[in-house]
């Protein structure tokens, strides 16, 4: 009889907290799995039984209909039951702590918590304190890993590969979890990433994450295969001089004129919701270069892949326990 | 009662001893330090292969009592201190209420008298309620035995008020301990600005927020001639500024804490709130600069900035969690591991930073092993390796940045005023 070799499990993570913590093999596994789920979405019967009998809880401390709905559809396509908990505030002074809420959800025998929180690191802390899976659906300015994955998935569908692509991320890098997840994921897969913003929106030491930095939007776009345009929020209470809306659009807004000057036929992405005329012109948003709506559809497939592998890892873990 | 400590290597830089010696303690005082003392003692401790040094004088400790006995009490904090080889602490005045009046000083003195296991010295606030608005009566606090004034936890933002405080302190011969932090420049940060803040997506605290305030306080000290002591140095520029000020004859001394030469900002990368400290854990370059400052004498003192917090205050979202690490039980071992074992400091230099220099700065007859001095002595097992475990702390709080760290050197026995209060048969 041939010697039994223990096969390394394909996926070992209990949680998805950020793309920083995944290997490039992990990311590719998620993208490949998302590919097959993406096909299901175009069928007339869009449901598979992979998560039948599982309960997925959307725990949202920030209002975000689009992300919540995308996760909800993804879970339902996999036949999971979905519960939505929306809490506007997560004050430490009143009410239950995040850890206690998480432990309660665990005691209710849920299988996966999808958490959106205004504090960076909230998902990491929650994951340390519960035994069930935690998916980070955006924590403060830190990471939004499924958004990063769906952006990368969309790029891979367009170009067939990620390695060697020039991707520019434009906008409020300092306060963007989307930017951080994109940077980690893209650089791991061998893309060249450039971030572009006014100095005040570039966090110090970002180069150490493996990106180039520029303040010149035309330079950022010239050689780019794709540009990821971040949503600009001008209501932040930063004391430092924040760029004015109009001035920002003039200097950094993605317009047709700007796209005409680039070397390649550039793909335009946006995590949404878009601010027309603020970071992107309507013509570009609705134009031929835009993949913004494809991103939305791809988001479901990517989230299905994430939920699928997390529940696989947990099932394996349980079986392992039982056989000991 | 006679207690004889035999065959240990005695380290006492004040008396220029760094060799095998015996120490005889009679009642609460040291009566002889010599080679091969032969006497019929009540207790003999064999300190072969051990270091025998003065009890540590930790001049930056938050004991939390009165007001936050859930975090620490004078009893629990001083018991933890004894375990860490600390026999004298300077208690910070940011209690509830703050130590800012005769009445509050007397109240805390009562608690110390009834519950402290070691010497607890008192510091008073600079401003009433530590609010930075109205000066305390420094002369009155001096009369009550306060050894230094500080609003630690906050810096006095009002420069004019601080100038007046320094002038009064000069007149009353009172040391001012400066917590140097410009809140505006720190811009609500929770980790070091740069690598840590960018990776974690958290607001950053610049080096500037610390050293600009040090520059200001040094300027005021120069103007008034007051003696000032800068608490918890964390970054390179601060070390440079103090080095220069000392050269220029300013009456300034400086302290750092073990976490600033042991840990850097990378320790925060998994959002471990025990690593949330103010000032924050800094860059590797800053850690090197702190070590150099210790080496060249710019930094006079290592003090723990022991800052106990409950689990409820730490096991929450990073930006909401309280700042600080406990340090009484790990300070000496961290010093041995990071400074002596690496060859950066000699044992004598370490003893200066932890014992005799703080004693000198506070003007107390401690931190040395001279004949006639109170017998505050610790016996240290220099090669003993141990791993810091959460469950083993004596402190009422467990928020240690050193949990799971392997340290070298452990306190074997703590003697306070001639009595064994920790280890070697003590209960
Ligand atoms: Zn302080
Ligand atoms: Zn302090």
């Amino acid at each position: 009889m041939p010697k039994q070799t223990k096969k390394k499990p394909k996926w070992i993570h209990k949680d998805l907290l950020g793309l920083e913590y995944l290997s490039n093999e992990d990311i590719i596994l998620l993208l490949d799995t998302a590919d097959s789920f993406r096909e299901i979405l175009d069928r007339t019967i869009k449901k598979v039984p992979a998560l039948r009998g599982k309960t997925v809880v959307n725990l949202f401390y920030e209002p975000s209909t689009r992300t919540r709905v995308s996760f909800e559809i993804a879970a339902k396509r996999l036949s999971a039951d979905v519960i939505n908990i929306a809490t506007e505030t997560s004050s430490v002074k009143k009410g239950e702590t995040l850890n206690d809420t998480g432990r309660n959800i665990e005691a209710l025998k849920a299988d996966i918590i999808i958490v959106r929180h205004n504090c960076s690191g909230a998902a990491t802390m929650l994951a340390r304190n519960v035994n069930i899976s935690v998916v980070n659906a955006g924590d403060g300015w830190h990471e939004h890993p499924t958004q990063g994955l769906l952006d990368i998935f969309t790029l891979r569908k367009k170009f067939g590969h990620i390695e060697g692509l020039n991707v520019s991320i434009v906008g409020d890098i300092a306060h963007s979890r989307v930017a951080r997840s994109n940077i980690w994921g893209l650089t791991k897969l061998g893309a060249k990433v450039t971030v572009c913003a006014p100095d005040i929106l570039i966090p110090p030491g970002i180069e150490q994450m493996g990106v180039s930095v520029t303040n010149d939007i035309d330079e950022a776009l010239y050689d780019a295969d794709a540009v990821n345009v971040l949503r600009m929020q001008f209501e932040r209470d930063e004391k430092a001089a924040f760029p004015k809306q109009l001035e920002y659009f003039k200097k950094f807004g993605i317009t047709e004129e700007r796209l005409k000057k680039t070397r390649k036929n550039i793909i335009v992405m946006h995590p949404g919701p878009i601010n027309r005329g603020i970071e992107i012109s309507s013509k570009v948003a609705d134009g031929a270069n835009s993949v913004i709506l494809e991103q939305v559809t791809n988001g479901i497939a990517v989230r299905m892949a994430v939920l699928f592998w997390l529940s696989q890892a947990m099932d394996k873990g349980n079986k392992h326990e039982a056989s000991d | 009662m006679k207690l004889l400590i035999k065959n240990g290597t005695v380290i006492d830089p004040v008396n220029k001893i760094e060799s095998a010696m015996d120490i005889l303690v009679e009642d609460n005082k040291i009566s002889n330090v010599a080679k091969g003392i032969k006497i019929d003692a009540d207790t003999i401790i064999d300190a072969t292969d051990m270091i025998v040094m003065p009890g540590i004088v930790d001049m930056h400790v938050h004991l939390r009592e009165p007001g936050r006995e859930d975090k620490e009490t004078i009893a629990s904090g001083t018991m933890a201190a004894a375990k860490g080889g600390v026999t004298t602490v300077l208690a910070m005045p940011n209690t509830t209420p703050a130590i800012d009046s005769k009445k509050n000083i007397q109240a805390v003195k009562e608690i110390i008298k009834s519950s402290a296991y070691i010497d607890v010295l008192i510091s008073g606030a600079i401003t009433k309620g530590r609010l930075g608005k109205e000066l305390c009566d420094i002369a009155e606090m001096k009369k009550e035995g306060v050894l230094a004034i500080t609003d630690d936890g906050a810096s006095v933002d009002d420069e004019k008020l601080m100038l007046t405080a320094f002038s009064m302190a000069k007149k009353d011969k009172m040391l001012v301990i400066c917590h140097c932090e410009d809140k505006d420049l720190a811009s609500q940060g929770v980790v070091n600005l740069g690598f840590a803040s960018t990776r974690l997506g958290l607001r950053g605290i610049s080096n500037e927020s610390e050293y600009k305030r040090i520059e200001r306080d040094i300027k005021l000290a120069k103007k008034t001639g007051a003696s000032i002591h800068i608490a918890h140095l964390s970054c390179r520029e601060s070390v440079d500024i103090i080095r220069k000020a000392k050269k220029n004859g300013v009456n300034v001394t400086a302290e750092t804490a073990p976490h600033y030469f042991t840990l850097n900002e990378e320790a925060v990368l998994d959002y471990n709130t025990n690593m949330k400290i103010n000032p924050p854990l800094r860059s590797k370059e800053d850690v090197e600069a702190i070590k150099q400052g210790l080496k060249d004498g710019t930094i006079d003192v290592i003090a723990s900035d022991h800052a106990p917090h409950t689990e409820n205050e730490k096991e929450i979202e990073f930006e909401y969690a309280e700042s600080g690490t406990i340090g009484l039980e790990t300070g000496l071992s961290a010093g041995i591991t990071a400074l002596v074992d690496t060859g950066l400091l000699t044992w004598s230099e370490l003893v200066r930073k932890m014992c005799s220099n703080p004693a000198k700065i506070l003007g107390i007859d401690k931190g040395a092993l001279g004949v006639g001095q109170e017998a505050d002595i610790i016996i240290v097992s220099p090669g003993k390796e141990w791993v810091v475990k959460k469950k083993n702390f004596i402190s009422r709080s467990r928020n240690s940045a050193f949990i799971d760290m392997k340290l070298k050197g452990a306190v074997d026995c703590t003697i306070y005023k001639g009595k064994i209060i920790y280890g070697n048969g003590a209960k």
Side-chain angles (χ1 to χ4, degrees):
Chain A
M1 249 179 41
K3 249 199 244 161
Q4 249 191 329
T5 49
K6 241 195 185 154
K7 234 176 104 189
K8 201 172 142 234
K10 276 186 171 169
W11 179 267
I12 51 163
H13 305 281
K14 171 173 101 62
D15 313 292
L16 177 69
L17 303 175
L19 298 191
E20 177 182 358
Y21 318 111
L22 297 185
S23 67
N24 49 355
E25 289 87 1
D26 290 332
I27 296 171
I28 287 164
L29 176 66
L30 291 174
L31 297 177
D32 289 347
T33 311
D35 261 329
S36 45
F37 284 134
R38 179 68 186 78
E39 284 165 36
I40 295 173
L41 295 177
D42 292 331
R43 292 185 201 160
T44 39
I45 311 258
K46 299 183 176 68
K47 215 160 179 159
V48 291
L51 261 71
R52 193 156 60 198
K54 306 269 185 206
T55 304
V56 173
V57 174
N58 275 318
L59 177 61
F60 275 53
Y61 288 90
E62 273 183 348
S64 167
T65 312
R66 59 170 47 224
T67 304
R68 204 256 302 145
V69 167
S70 178
F71 269 110
E72 185 168 351
I73 292 174
K76 285 180 169 166
R77 295 283 173 266
L78 295 168
S79 308
D81 297 315
V82 182
I83 309 289
N84 292 310
I85 303 172
T87 312
E88 284 280 318
T89 55
S90 74
S91 163
V92 273
K93 279 158 197 99
K94 54 179 179 183
E96 202 174 40
T97 67
L98 176 57
N99 284 338
D100 281 336
T101 304
R103 290 183 196 117
N104 269 285
I105 293 170
E106 182 174 19
L108 291 167
K109 297 292 171 192
D111 300 281
I112 297 176
I113 302 176
I114 294 161
V115 63
R116 159 68 64 95
H117 202 287
N118 53 301
C119 291
S120 297
T124 306
M125 179 188 72
L126 180 62
R128 266 202 291 264
N129 283 281
V130 296
N131 296 308
I132 58 176
S133 294
V134 172
V135 179
N136 180 7
D139 63 326
W141 307 335
H142 175 227
E143 281 225 38
H144 189 355
T146 57
Q147 180 69 47
L149 284 169
L150 79 87
D151 292 343
I152 295 166
F153 180 83
T154 305
L155 286 173
R156 200 175 74 155
K157 270 188 101 59
K158 284 284 158 200
F159 295 99
H161 61 96
I162 297 298
E163 201 174 345
L165 289 183
N166 293 331
V167 181
S168 290
I169 306 172
V170 180
D172 187 351
I173 309 295
H175 305 104
S176 174
R177 51 194 173 214
V178 176
R180 283 177 181 76
S181 286
N182 265 278
I183 290 168
W184 286 118
L186 288 167
T187 52
K188 275 174 207 263
L189 297 188
K192 277 193 278 180
V193 179
T194 301
V195 296
C196 176
D199 275 336
I200 183 110
L201 302 180
I202 301 279
I206 187 89
E207 302 85 0
Q208 290 176 54
M209 285 170 70
V211 302
S212 315
V213 178
T214 177
N215 305 130
D216 180 346
I217 183 68
D218 293 314
E219 186 191 311
L221 295 178
Y222 182 71
D223 242 341
D225 296 290
V227 58
N228 204 337
V229 188
L230 301 176
R231 179 178 162 77
M232 285 301 297
Q233 282 167 298
F234 290 89
E235 67 273 26
R236 286 190 194 285
D237 57 347
E238 298 282 325
K239 274 189 193 152
F242 214 75
K244 297 275 176 295
Q245 272 193 30
L246 272 178
E247 189 193 330
Y248 180 85
F249 185 68
K250 230 197 279 171
K251 282 194 179 148
F252 295 92
I254 306 298
T255 59
E256 278 193 307
E257 297 73 60
R258 285 225 154 94
L259 293 187
K260 271 182 205 143
K261 289 190 279 181
T262 64
R263 206 162 67 82
K264 300 171 183 166
N265 193 21
I266 194 167
I267 297 280
V268 178
M269 299 195 291
H270 192 298
I274 57 175
N275 292 313
R276 291 170 185 270
I278 291 178
E279 70 262 354
I280 189 167
S281 75
S282 276
K283 276 196 175 151
V284 172
D286 304 329
N289 301 59
S290 166
V291 293
I292 296 172
L293 291 175
E294 283 172 56
Q295 286 175 273
V296 176
T297 313
N298 293 341
I300 302 169
V302 159
R303 290 177 175 121
M304 286 171 80
V306 168
L307 295 175
F308 173 78
W309 281 112
L310 289 179
S311 88
Q312 287 282 308
M314 290 309 272
D315 285 352
K316 284 228 183 67
N318 291 342
K319 258 184 231 148
H320 182 71
E321 261 175 34
S323 68
D324 279 341
Chain B
M1 280 292 284
K2 290 189 179 106
L3 169 71
L4 181 62
I5 305 163
K6 284 189 73 68
N7 306 323
T9 302
V10 175
I11 312 282
D12 177 11
V14 172
N15 294 294
K16 300 191 174 61
I17 301 172
E18 196 170 343
S19 58
M21 288 274 175
D22 296 349
I23 297 179
L24 180 64
V25 176
E26 286 187 73
D27 298 322
N28 60 342
K29 299 232 162 90
I30 293 170
S31 65
N32 194 8
V33 181
K35 272 194 200 326
I37 298 176
K38 290 208 169 54
I39 200 163
D40 209 8
D42 303 281
T43 310
I44 297 175
I45 298 174
D46 180 9
T48 306
D49 298 330
M50 298 282 188
I51 298 284
V52 179
M53 60 180 264
I56 293 164
V57 178
D58 189 337
M59 65 182 291
H60 196 140
V61 175
H62 297 271
L63 290 174
R64 305 296 187 208
E65 191 177 4
R68 285 308 302 269
E69 292 81 358
D70 53 333
K71 295 179 195 244
E72 196 80 283
T73 61
I74 286 173
S76 67
T78 53
M79 180 82 97
K83 187 189 171 198
V86 178
T87 50
T88 302
V89 295
L90 181 69
M92 289 293 113
N94 64 334
T95 46
T96 319
I99 308 305
D100 59 359
S101 66
K102 186 173 169 180
K103 180 171 143 264
N104 293 348
I105 294 165
Q106 286 176 344
V108 79
K109 274 197 218 161
E110 280 307 309
I111 309 170
I112 292 166
K113 208 156 83 184
S114 66
S115 68
Y117 290 93
I118 59 162
D119 272 8
V120 177
L121 309 173
I122 303 169
S123 61
I126 299 171
T127 63
K128 291 199 175 139
R130 299 173 45 257
L131 297 171
K133 300 272 183 254
E134 195 188 335
L135 288 185
C136 296
D137 187 338
I138 298 172
E140 183 186 71
M141 293 199 297
K142 176 97 183 175
K143 254 184 250 152
E144 289 299 320
V146 160
L147 290 185
I149 53 170
T150 178
D151 271 4
D152 187 52
S155 178
V156 177
D157 290 326
D158 184 337
E159 189 171 332
K160 267 197 190 143
L161 191 70
M162 197 57 154
L163 181 71
T164 315
F166 279 22
S167 308
M168 306 286 281
K170 165 76 180 169
K171 184 167 70 67
D172 293 320
K173 293 195 176 63
M174 178 75 90
L175 175 71
V176 186
I177 299 176
C178 304
H179 166 111
C180 291
E181 176 188 17
D182 182 322
K183 278 272 176 210
D184 280 340
L185 290 174
S187 58
Q188 297 172 277
V190 290
V191 293
N192 190 36
L193 179 74
F195 181 76
S197 63
T198 294
R199 289 269 285 251
L200 294 166
L202 292 168
R203 286 175 199 273
I205 303 171
S206 61
N207 288 6
E208 224 185 353
S209 66
E210 175 176 314
Y211 74 77
K212 288 273 186 200
R213 188 50 57 93
I214 293 178
E215 273 176 344
R216 184 201 77 174
D217 285 352
I218 282 175
K219 183 182 80 187
L220 299 180
K222 224 174 176 172
K223 227 182 215 171
T224 56
S227 293
I228 67 167
H229 175 78
I230 310 293
H232 44 60
L233 251 62
S234 75
C235 66
R236 179 174 57 82
E237 295 90 337
S238 303
V239 179
D240 292 342
I241 288 164
I242 287 165
R243 188 180 289 123
K244 215 172 114 198
K246 282 184 163 185
K247 266 199 197 120
N248 293 337
V250 181
N251 267 333
V252 59
T253 54
E255 133 207 325
T256 191
H259 37 275
Y260 299 119
F261 57 75
T262 310
L263 293 159
N264 64 52
E265 59 185 333
E266 287 178 24
V268 191
L269 286 185
D270 60 353
Y271 296 98
N272 178 353
T273 52
N274 284 339
M275 303 297 176
K276 183 180 175 185
I277 302 166
N278 189 25
L281 299 176
R282 299 284 193 186
S283 72
K284 284 180 185 161
E285 294 72 41
D286 289 314
V287 172
E288 274 318 301
I290 293 293
K291 286 184 176 175
Q292 280 316 308
L294 283 163
K295 174 84 197 157
D296 69 19
T298 303
I299 302 175
D300 307 271
V301 171
I302 297 168
S304 66
D305 199 0
H306 178 79
H309 294 294
T310 65
E311 298 214 333
N312 289 344
E313 293 165 321
K314 277 290 193 182
E315 298 204 342
I316 52 175
E317 293 85 339
F318 196 91
E319 53 203 78
Y320 300 151
E322 291 280 1
S323 295
T325 173
I326 55 171
L328 282 168
E329 296 170 63
T330 47
L332 177 62
S333 301
I336 294 169
T337 309
L339 305 176
V340 177
D341 209 41
T342 55
L344 190 85
L345 298 187
T346 63
W347 272 96
S348 283
E349 284 168 326
L350 184 72
V351 169
R352 273 190 203 282
K353 311 264 182 217
M354 299 192 80
C355 310
S356 52
N357 285 352
K360 196 171 145 198
I361 291 165
L362 293 170
I364 54 172
D365 188 22
K366 295 273 187 183
L369 300 172
V371 170
Q373 276 187 298
E374 278 181 336
D376 294 353
I377 306 168
I378 61 174
I379 300 169
V380 179
S381 175
K384 187 176 174 183
E385 293 189 337
W386 60 292
V387 177
V388 181
K389 287 289 168 206
K390 195 173 164 182
K391 63 174 175 18
N392 294 337
F393 283 110
I394 286 178
S395 167
R396 200 165 265 197
S397 293
R398 300 284 130 99
N399 57 301
S400 168
F402 296 91
I403 288 170
D404 290 335
M405 199 183 281
K406 194 172 172 189
L407 296 178
K408 198 167 177 183
V411 176
D412 194 63
C413 176
T414 302
I415 297 159
Y416 166 68
K417 291 189 179 165
K419 280 204 192 72
I420 298 172
I421 58 164
Y422 171 78
N424 228 324
K427 294 196 182 60

